[in-house]
Amino acid sequence: MTDPISTTRHGDVLIVTSNNPPVNALGAAVRQGLVAAIEQAEQDDSVKAVVIACEGQTFFAGADITEFGKPPVMPWLPAVVDAIENCSKPVVAAIHGTAFGGGLEVALGCHYRVALPGAKLGVPEVKLGLLPGAGGTQRLPRVAGVERALEMCATGTPISGKEAFDCGLVDRLIEGELVPHAVGYAEEVRDIRPLPKSSEREERLAEARDNPALFDEFRKANARKFRGFEAPEANIRAVGVALDKPYSEGVIEERKLFMELMSGNQARAQQYFFFAERKAAKIEGLPEGTAPREVKRVGVIGAGTMGGGISMNFLSAGIPVTIVEMNQEALDRGAGVMRKNYEASAAKGKLSAEQVEKATRLLNPTLDFDELAQCDLIIEAVYEDMDVKKEIFGRLDRIAKPGAILASNTSYLNVDEIAASISRPQDVLGMHFFSPANIMKLLEIVRGAKTAPDALMTAMQLAKRIRKVAVVAGVCHGFIGNRMLMPRQVEATKLLLEGASPEQIDRVHVEFGMPMGPFQMADLAGVDIGWHRDVSRVENIRDALCAIDRWGQKKGAGFYDYDDKRRPSPSPVVKAIIEDFATKQGVERREISDQEIVERTLYTMVNEGAKILEEGMAQRASDVDVVWVYGYGWPVYRGGPMFWADSEGLDTIVEGLKRQEARMGSDFSFSKLLLDKAGKGEKFTR
Ligand code: 3H9
């Protein structure tokens, strides 16, 4: 292996360059190389200043996460950062790409920082269940200010080079070639003494002492976002220590908090998920040399909520969209909603007026179906009816250009059946977006029996271009996500009859960490989804609610009553309906424990996930987890249903399901894979 750190000279400046693809992670060899380079600078009298820069796409993107959990190799990162800061000659960090985590800590160890305006600087450790553990929580507030450091450490959100310059984190923005300018800067500062050491700066701390409420206000403002997570609070406390204690004590406290987090379950889950997300992009079994098809224009059929949201993803990524509707009114309404959504994003400062204007210009709304002939990918987003979908695909078969990918946004229907109805099944696949489609990160790409490898690869790569996390799913009812929702729904409804209330079941799910429970979700999505629209036919609780206009939040009543601010409260009407049904069906009501709810609604999901794996409908267990975290808000600090099951112990899951088996009756059957793995003491994800 070649040494990732090399040094060159430019006059009296030593340029230290890291070349450790893909992201210049600070693995052992990089750390050793950095310390050696600083020693070289110290020992060579002709060196008057040092520049640290990186080759490739980015400055150091952080500690090497693959080293976590393994025996430590010296020098550890805090010592490397200290060695840089203690260098007797000025050290300048030249930042491009992403200076993340340990990477930003290295930059903070440097005496000066210069950056390209488009660079990103951040401490995303909190997203891995950690905090910056190489002095970052103590140096960042001293350089960028306490408020900024609090925000960056506790949320993990990076700032741009320009913002970093504005808050003092970067000393100069570079237009043009980074390293030559950084060398020029090093020459400018080479004789300034004393050297500005981040750990010794006090002036930014004084500002925050005038505002003692800062920390509690920050906690309050972010309470919802941080609910259930351990790392944000640890980050807040660590930054707080910078105010209360001298630097030398602050770093000891930081280390203590870092180690506590590192040994916890949440950090393990969040680090697992980091790699799970990246693994999801890898498609198994593609023939070597498969190349993606070119996609220059996308067609979308249907300008409703889904079609509009789908279109916005492509427009925002600079890809022109032709959107087709049946009549002018629907087309105008759809285009109007998109415009309003864009304007709302602009008002929140998420997009510039220029970006909105550019995205809008790329949209071609039309009533002429034949205009789809220019598109390289066409996504059908009409309502869920197999006959309607087949009719549309038949028309596409006649007009789409050869090699165009024909996708359905169906959430449940059989993609193979749609494919079989036309002459080019190899071009057909599913692209299941989650609502709201312009916001939700998840995209299930459904691989049909005949889907061509290059069509699948194209869809996966496009997903990345539109900043979605895509997961490959096989053809089965509900694919991965909605299929696992079904057992949860069935058991949750039965539990109502047996004695639980919607409030209790939802509370158990929310306490578990889900954003909402099954009945809150039903009220939000609409209790009437899938309802047969016949008030005289009342076969279950949902029918009964729909029949009396309790369609959910949109009607002010569903499983809950809602006030005019959409605040829910338990409904006596619903309680009576449930009890009435229980009596009619001869179900004896009893006290239901929270544990039973967990076993019947969450363990059953794990069981379904295992069936999906055993049938080959997901490529790997971690893909199931990615679907649930990004599609349904499963708490990432529990890793996802399959990782969570592994953490609980598969024998515990099996025991729980066995306890409930009789009650669940014919609705439930064990996954062989689950039983097998539990029997052998194996795991799904490790
Ligand atoms: C830390 O620094 C702790 C310290 O405070 C204290 C220590 C004492 N390590 O994301 P991509 C791999 S914690 C190892 O697809 P992009 C990644 O798995 C760290 N590997 O590219 C993937 O591998 P593969 C704080 C890493 O261009 C490949 O690189 N830092 C690391 O879309 C490409 O990654 C972070 O949390 C790593 N640190 O995005 C930053 N990072 O090809 C984490 C990436 O085999 N990284 N890999 O699948 C990122 O946010 C993104 O990777 C980045 C590039 C934005 C840099």
Side-chain angles (χ1 to χ4, degrees):
M1 240 173 64
T2 53
D3 196 340
I5 298 290
S6 59
T7 55
T8 50
R9 283 293 287 271
H10 188 280
D12 51 16
V13 177
L14 183 75
I15 306 172
V16 180
T17 307
S18 169
N19 182 10
N20 187 31
V23 297
N24 281 306
L26 287 148
V30 176
R31 297 195 302 274
Q32 285 155 3
L34 283 173
V35 170
I38 293 297
E39 266 167 28
Q40 182 187 340
E42 285 291 9
Q43 280 161 16
D44 186 341
D45 285 344
S46 68
V47 171
K48 301 292 179 206
V50 181
V51 166
I52 298 182
C54 291
E55 278 181 14
Q57 62 166 355
T58 179
F59 194 72
F60 306 107
D64 185 339
I65 308 169
T66 60
E67 286 183 353
F68 291 175
K70 296 185 185 150
V73 181
M74 290 298 130
W76 62 331
L77 195 57
V80 177
V81 178
D82 287 347
I84 295 170
E85 193 179 66
N86 292 330
C87 181
S88 64
K89 300 166 186 181
V91 185
V92 179
I95 300 170
H96 78 293
T98 45
F100 275 3
L104 185 58
E105 292 174 298
V106 165
L108 282 163
C110 295
H111 306 109
Y112 301 96
R113 288 153 293 281
V114 301
L116 296 178
K120 284 191 175 157
L121 295 88
V123 268
E125 283 88 340
V126 69
K127 295 183 185 164
L128 300 170
L130 297 174
L131 50 76
T137 63
Q138 306 304 298
R139 286 192 178 93
L140 190 58
R142 287 175 160 82
V143 177
V146 175
E147 203 171 342
R148 178 66 81 164
L150 195 55
E151 177 79 35
M152 286 175 74
C153 290
T155 68
T157 310
I159 59 175
S160 68
K162 166 84 176 58
E163 287 168 301
F165 176 71
D166 291 342
C167 72
L169 178 54
V170 158
D171 300 287
R172 182 175 291 174
L173 285 181
I174 304 291
E175 300 287 349
E177 274 204 66
L178 178 62
V179 175
H181 278 89
V183 169
Y185 186 83
E187 280 161 352
E188 276 175 48
V189 298
R190 98 183 180 175
D191 298 323
I192 298 176
R193 295 293 181 281
L195 289 168
K197 293 187 180 184
S198 305
S199 64
E200 290 176 358
R201 288 171 59 174
E202 288 295 314
E203 72 280 6
R204 305 297 304 263
L205 300 181
E207 291 165 15
R209 290 200 181 96
D210 297 338
N211 181 10
L214 177 70
F215 285 80
D216 280 341
E217 280 167 10
F218 181 78
R219 281 189 181 94
K220 228 165 103 192
N222 289 285
R224 244 180 99 121
K225 200 190 303 175
F226 296 161
R227 184 177 69 90
F229 286 91
E230 288 161 5
E233 178 56 26
N235 273 275
I236 296 171
R237 277 172 51 203
V239 173
V241 172
L243 274 182
D244 299 338
K245 297 198 173 155
Y247 178 83
S248 56
E249 288 176 39
V251 280
I252 294 170
E253 195 71 22
E254 175 192 270
R255 173 102 320 236
K256 196 170 141 257
L257 289 165
F258 181 85
M259 294 313 289
E260 272 170 27
L261 289 176
M262 189 59 126
S263 59
N265 289 334
Q266 293 203 352
R268 240 190 307 280
Q270 288 176 255
Q271 286 158 31
Y272 153 81
F273 194 77
F274 175 86
F275 290 111
E277 182 181 337
R278 280 151 184 86
K279 226 186 275 166
K282 301 189 167 74
I283 313 167
E284 312 247 298
L286 277 192
E288 217 173 295
T290 305
R293 301 180 190 178
E294 196 173 23
V295 176
K296 286 193 181 148
R297 175 172 283 277
V298 171
V300 175
I301 304 170
T305 316
M306 219 46 204
I310 292 171
S311 303
M312 287 179 74
N313 292 308
F314 293 99
L315 297 171
S316 303
I319 304 169
V321 173
T322 297
I323 191 164
V324 184
E325 252 302 344
M326 304 267 279
N327 62 62
Q328 194 62 44
E329 200 193 330
L331 192 62
D332 290 346
R333 197 179 328 115
V337 170
M338 278 190 252
R339 198 172 327 108
K340 255 178 51 199
N341 284 343
Y342 273 127
E343 280 162 7
S345 298
K348 284 188 207 145
K350 288 186 181 160
L351 289 176
S352 67
E354 208 174 275
Q355 284 170 311
V356 172
E357 154 65 18
K358 191 172 158 219
T360 324
R361 235 185 308 120
L362 291 173
L363 181 68
N364 167 32
T366 178
L367 298 176
D368 182 2
F369 200 87
D370 290 350
E371 284 194 39
L372 293 172
Q374 305 153 4
C375 299
D376 308 294
L377 161 70
I378 304 165
I379 305 169
E380 156 286 304
V382 302
Y383 55 95
E384 295 282 64
D385 181 309
M386 183 53 95
D387 290 339
V388 175
K389 302 232 183 221
K390 279 188 185 165
E391 207 258 327
I392 287 176
F393 273 76
R395 286 176 77 186
L396 287 178
D397 200 10
R398 289 191 289 279
I399 62 132
K401 63 161 85 156
I405 296 171
L406 309 179
S408 171
N409 175 50
T410 180
S411 338
Y412 289 96
L413 296 178
N414 187 326
V415 174
D416 284 338
E417 193 179 330
I418 300 175
S421 71
I422 66 169
S423 71
R424 32 174 141 176
Q426 73 281 3
D427 296 333
V428 176
L429 44 76
M431 285 179 89
H432 178 213
F433 288 84
F434 285 67
S435 187
N438 54 321
I439 310 245
M440 295 293 284
K441 294 262 303 175
L442 181 67
L443 179 57
E444 281 180 329
I445 308 255
V446 187
R447 177 186 210 166
K450 299 231 164 111
T451 304
D454 62 344
L456 181 66
M457 184 190 231
T458 310
M460 290 297 278
Q461 291 196 351
L462 255 183
K464 191 154 182 170
R465 257 172 90 190
I466 61 172
R467 308 172 77 138
K468 298 284 175 202
V469 177
V471 171
V472 178
V475 177
C476 58
H477 192 66
F479 314 124
I480 299 173
N482 284 344
R483 177 169 164 180
M484 287 168 70
L485 205 53
M486 284 184 269
R488 178 180 104 161
Q489 205 54 41
V490 166
E491 291 308 316
T493 307
K494 277 164 40 189
L495 281 162
L496 288 186
L497 294 178
E498 291 169 42
S501 63
E503 302 82 75
Q504 185 193 4
I505 296 172
D506 285 342
R507 176 183 50 74
V508 169
H509 281 250
V510 171
E511 282 174 4
F512 181 80
M514 299 297 293
M516 59 186 102
F519 300 105
Q520 291 163 323
M521 187 164 146
D523 274 3
L524 183 70
V527 183
D528 59 315
I529 289 181
W531 180 45
H532 44 64
R533 304 207 169 244
D534 178 356
V535 288
S536 63
R537 219 176 100 199
V538 175
E539 286 161 4
N540 54 41
I541 297 170
R542 275 178 102 109
D543 290 350
L545 296 186
C546 288
I548 55 167
D549 241 17
R550 298 187 70 101
W551 293 11
Q553 285 196 22
K554 59 189 166 190
K555 294 267 189 178
F559 282 97
Y560 294 85
D561 288 335
Y562 293 90
D563 66 13
D564 50 6
K565 292 203 172 82
R566 290 206 171 185
R567 277 181 305 220
S569 56
S571 164
V573 177
V574 172
K575 187 165 180 276
I577 289 175
I578 293 170
E579 285 170 1
D580 188 38
F581 259 97
T583 312
K584 273 196 216 138
Q585 294 186 5
V587 180
E588 198 178 319
R589 286 172 66 77
R590 61 195 162 84
E591 182 110 350
I592 306 279
S593 71
D594 289 357
Q595 181 59 23
E596 179 171 347
I597 293 173
V598 168
E599 289 168 358
R600 287 178 62 181
T601 60
L602 295 176
Y603 286 15
T604 43
M605 283 178 54
V606 171
N607 186 60
E608 197 63 35
K611 284 186 183 175
I612 287 172
L613 284 173
E614 97 196 15
E615 291 167 24
M617 294 297 151
Q619 299 192 93
R620 46 187 93 84
S622 60
D623 283 8
V624 174
D625 288 340
V626 171
V627 165
W628 268 82
V629 168
Y630 278 124
Y632 304 83
W634 184 281
V636 64
Y637 57 77
R638 293 190 196 271
M642 307 318 278
F643 181 90
W644 172 68
D646 283 344
S647 314
E648 295 290 288
L650 297 187
D651 48 349
T652 306
I653 304 286
V654 168
E655 269 165 38
L657 287 168
K658 283 194 172 147
R659 250 193 312 275
Q660 305 301 339
E661 202 174 359
R663 289 196 178 112
M664 297 193 286
S666 61
D667 291 316
F668 176 80
S669 66
F670 263 108
S671 149
K672 286 192 196 62
L673 184 69
L674 172 63
L675 289 175
D676 188 42
K677 281 198 175 284
K680 290 188 189 145
E682 290 177 2
K683 293 179 186 294
F684 287 118
T685 59
R686 278 156 276 173

